[in-house]
Each structure stands twice: as C-alpha cells, then as structure tokens.
Amino acid sequence: MKTDDYPDYKVVLGSIEGLRRGFTSGTAAQAAAAAAARYAVTGQRPERISLRLKDDLCFSVPVVHCREKDGKYTCGVVKDAGDDPDDTNGLLFLASLSIDKSGELRLRGGKGVGTVTRPGLPVSSGESAINPVPHRRILAAVAAELPEGFGAEIVIEVPEGGTVAAKTCNPRLGIEGGISIIGTSGIVEPKSEKAFTRSIALLISFVRRAGYKRIILTSGYVGEKYIVNNDLDPEMTVAFGDHLGFALVNAWRKGFRDITVPMHIGKLAKVAAGMFNTHSKYGDARLETLAALCGLCNGGVDLISGVMEAATAEEAAGLIEKAGFSKVFTLLADRAEKRTKGYIAKETGISQDNPELDALCLRYIVLDLSGRVLGNE
C-alpha cells in the first residue's frame, strides 16, 4: 500500500526544531480499532477519529478505509511517523471488529502482525506481537465506543507488515510473520540529537540547582519502573535515551559525584563493552559481552553457547539465572563502572588516577524488563 493512495493521511502533532512529530504503530492500531468500533455501533463510516495521549495531547487521525461484511466492521488508518526515519511510516493499519454480548474484549494480530516465538520479550511466546501498553490502549479505545455489556473480537492487520518486518531486527528477536505493535508514549519524537542532548543538559542543571547531590540517570521506562518500585525521588532523575556518555560527562562537569544508573541488561551490556551511545546503529555487543562474563565465571560451554544463541539479552539473563550464575550481573555492573570512569577521564581530559574520579560513587543497577534487579546493587 503506497501513501500516494492516501494523500491526506498526515496529522498535526507539532514539531521539534522544524521536525514533525508522528505517532507509533500502537497509536495507529488504537485509532483503527476505535474507528471500527464506532462504525459497528453507529453504522456510520467515520471520517476521522480523535485520540487523547500523554500530557492530554489530543489529535485527530483520518480514517482512510471502511468496510462492512457479514457483521464484521473494518477501518483503516495510515501511520504517520512525522519526520522520524521509521520503517513503518506510511503503512496501512486495519482493525476488524465484530461485536457480541459476551461483555469481553478479545484482541489478536492478523496478517502482517508478528507472532512471538521466543522468550525474553514483553509478550509471551505464541502470542501476537502487540506490546502491553498498546494492547491496553486498544482495548480501552474500543470499550469507550461500545454500549455497556457488549464485547468484541478485534483483529489488527498490517497488509505490508510482513515485507517491512524482514528489513528490521524482528526475525532475530524471534518475532515472525510481521511487525510489532509498539509504543509506550504513543508519540514518535523526531530524532533531533542536538535538541535531545540540550534537554538532557538542561535537566541535569535543574537537578543540580534544586540542591541534589545525587543524580539518577535512566535510559527510559525500565529504569523508571525501578525508580517507582524503590520509591526514589523522580526529581533527581534525568532520562538520557541512548546518550549515556553525554549525560555522564555532563553530570560530572556539573559537580555530581554520586551517580546511579538503573539500566536494562541489554543496554548495560553495551556500556560494559565500551559503547556510550547505545543506539543500535553504533553496533551491538550484548550477547558477546554476557557470554564472555559467563566464561569468566566458569559457566561452561552449554551456558556460553546458550547465551550466544539467545534472541535477546532478556532471554540470556533468564538462562544465566537458571544456571545459577547471577554473579555475571555483578561483574557486568563492575565492568560498566570501570569503562565509565575511563570514558569520563578521556572526555574531560583528566587522569584516570585523579583522586576525585577514583572517589566517584557510580552505581550501575542491572534490570530486566519489569524493572527487577538482576544483580547486587
């Protein structure tokens, strides 16, 4: 399906430094499902559907496709990723829905939506690759349109999803047959590195001016779960996305000598390998790093091979725990700390023997996707 077929599919979500915002695959599926539910209830083909996302952000999505056959109502929207280089930009997302009086809502993926075939992802093996947050939002959007007591069977399809997925890392992750329906915030922020790093620096300055002597740096929602689970002060927290090196050096230069970094094991394995921008375009040494640490702990050939063959670092972590080698997580954090002190020294021009650097209290917390600590703090 070409976007030329739907010239008016774009939405207005604001911009950052002249770059347009867009919306995620989860939001596209949510909009299509809400439109299909409205069509089923009213019998009227909706031309647009309104959504409310984070920070009360409201916007309207064009409904480009409507069809009814044998009591099944189908609506479609085109994903608009704004100016972000997104493989799924311009794809048609379809939601087919048939209502009943069961009072239950059932959601699954159809053509072009992948199926999870391996452990280590937020969705269980054998289930459609619709992540938990989009899953909840799709069901809530449908429920808001249905009369009380009614239920529905909802199927999300992306006709060209299989073709696009072959260009992504989904097959390696164990997601087969199509794309993933993802997106925690629902919004795609255009990748303007300059704007993002500027915001990191401003937030670090804010934490310092607020009188905090300790700062918590987190890459995203996994670290945020750890903060909530441990009742830590969110005012001392700064999210860095993939720009860990920038955040660390900036925090050092602002005078912070007590830095805590709760990170998912996958990103942290990259840091332990010396990567301080954790975006996938800069490389990937997660499994190799974890396998090497298993070797240092005398983990044996079977464990090392299993880690190397894992689809994700999350899956590898499960293998390591099951084998009783949780010491690997402690070594991972120690290795990341050593790499970090060397990185700060290099970027700031100070000696690695500098007493102030040696006294830096730097804590890496190794987490799984649920925010659970995998090693000793």
Side-chain angles (χ1 to χ4, degrees):
M1 191 69 64
K2 303 297 183 182
T3 55
D4 292 346
D5 297 335
Y6 305 109
D8 299 322
Y9 76 93
K10 294 185 177 181
V11 301
V12 178
L13 283 167
S15 62
I16 298 175
E17 291 192 341
L19 299 176
R20 293 177 55 248
R21 281 174 159 177
F23 55 85
T24 64
S25 57
T27 298
Q30 177 185 345
R38 184 171 300 177
Y39 185 20
V41 171
T42 66
Q44 302 295 315
R45 298 183 176 211
E47 294 184 357
R48 304 186 73 88
I49 198 78
S50 295
L51 298 176
R52 180 187 297 272
L53 295 178
K54 65 172 186 175
D55 301 326
D56 285 334
L57 176 62
C58 299
F59 62 101
S60 178
V61 180
V63 180
V64 301
H65 173 91
C66 290
R67 182 183 72 242
E68 185 276 327
K69 183 178 181 181
D70 299 329
K72 181 180 291 186
Y73 295 80
T74 302
C75 285
V77 305
V78 175
K79 180 182 174 183
D80 179 9
D83 288 330
D84 192 69
D86 188 320
D87 289 328
T88 61
N89 182 51
L91 289 185
L92 178 66
F93 282 67
L94 298 172
S96 297
L97 179 147
S98 55
I99 60 176
D100 53 49
K101 295 184 178 180
S102 67
E104 297 180 356
L105 297 177
R106 302 169 299 282
L107 173 64
R108 63 180 176 85
K111 180 181 179 181
V113 175
T115 299
V116 176
T117 63
R118 302 181 71 169
L121 295 171
V123 179
S124 299
S125 182
E127 299 292 326
S128 298
I130 304 175
N131 274 14
V133 172
H135 194 284
R136 289 195 299 269
R137 286 183 173 155
I138 293 167
L139 294 186
V142 170
E145 299 288 342
L146 298 183
E148 186 176 352
F150 279 75
E153 180 84 20
I154 311 147
V155 179
I156 305 297
E157 295 186 353
V158 185
E160 292 190 358
T163 301
V164 171
K167 304 175 184 177
T168 72
C169 63
N170 273 14
R172 186 174 183 276
L173 294 175
I175 299 172
E176 298 182 357
I179 65 168
S180 305
I181 306 299
I182 61 175
T184 303
S185 70
I187 299 297
V188 174
E189 301 287 357
K191 290 181 174 66
S192 169
E193 184 170 321
K194 181 179 178 182
F196 190 55
T197 54
R198 184 188 299 135
S199 70
I200 293 171
L202 288 172
L203 288 169
I204 291 173
S205 295
F206 171 80
V207 176
R208 191 63 178 168
R209 289 197 305 270
Y212 291 100
K213 294 184 178 181
R214 176 190 180 194
I215 191 168
I216 303 173
L217 302 176
T218 175
S219 61
Y221 76 97
V222 174
E224 290 167 1
K225 287 180 181 179
Y226 172 83
I227 291 164
V228 171
N229 292 343
N230 290 274
D231 198 28
L232 298 174
D233 187 349
E235 294 297 318
M236 69 169 71
T237 301
V238 174
F240 58 80
D242 289 307
H243 301 280
L244 174 61
F246 177 88
L248 286 164
V249 171
N250 197 273
W252 171 268
R253 286 175 170 159
K254 293 287 179 13
F256 285 103
R257 298 297 181 263
D258 189 340
I259 303 173
T260 299
V261 190
M263 291 184 75
H264 182 255
I265 185 173
K267 285 187 178 290
L268 187 51
K270 291 186 177 185
V271 179
M275 297 174 60
F276 286 89
N277 186 316
T278 58
H279 193 280
S280 58
K281 70 180 180 181
Y282 294 108
D284 184 4
R286 295 169 298 167
L287 300 178
E288 291 83 355
T289 301
L290 293 173
L293 293 175
C294 287
L296 284 176
C297 292
N298 298 316
V301 174
D302 288 343
L303 177 59
I304 294 170
S305 298
V307 168
M308 285 294 293
E309 293 171 4
T312 63
E314 184 85 0
E315 180 184 346
L319 296 174
I320 292 167
E321 282 193 308
K322 185 176 180 180
F325 283 86
S326 292
K327 184 182 178 183
V328 166
F329 307 130
T330 302
L331 291 181
L332 179 67
D334 291 344
R335 182 67 178 169
E337 178 185 347
K338 182 177 180 179
R339 285 280 199 176
T340 298
K341 289 186 176 181
Y343 180 82
I344 291 174
K346 178 183 176 182
E347 293 297 310
T348 60
I350 65 174
S351 168
Q352 292 198 42
D353 297 327
N354 187 300
E356 194 174 6
L357 183 61
D358 186 59
L360 170 64
C361 182
L362 176 64
R363 306 180 192 88
Y364 277 104
I365 314 296
V366 192
L367 305 175
D368 67 8
L369 284 172
S370 71
R372 180 176 64 91
V373 177
L374 290 175
N376 295 328
E377 298 184 26

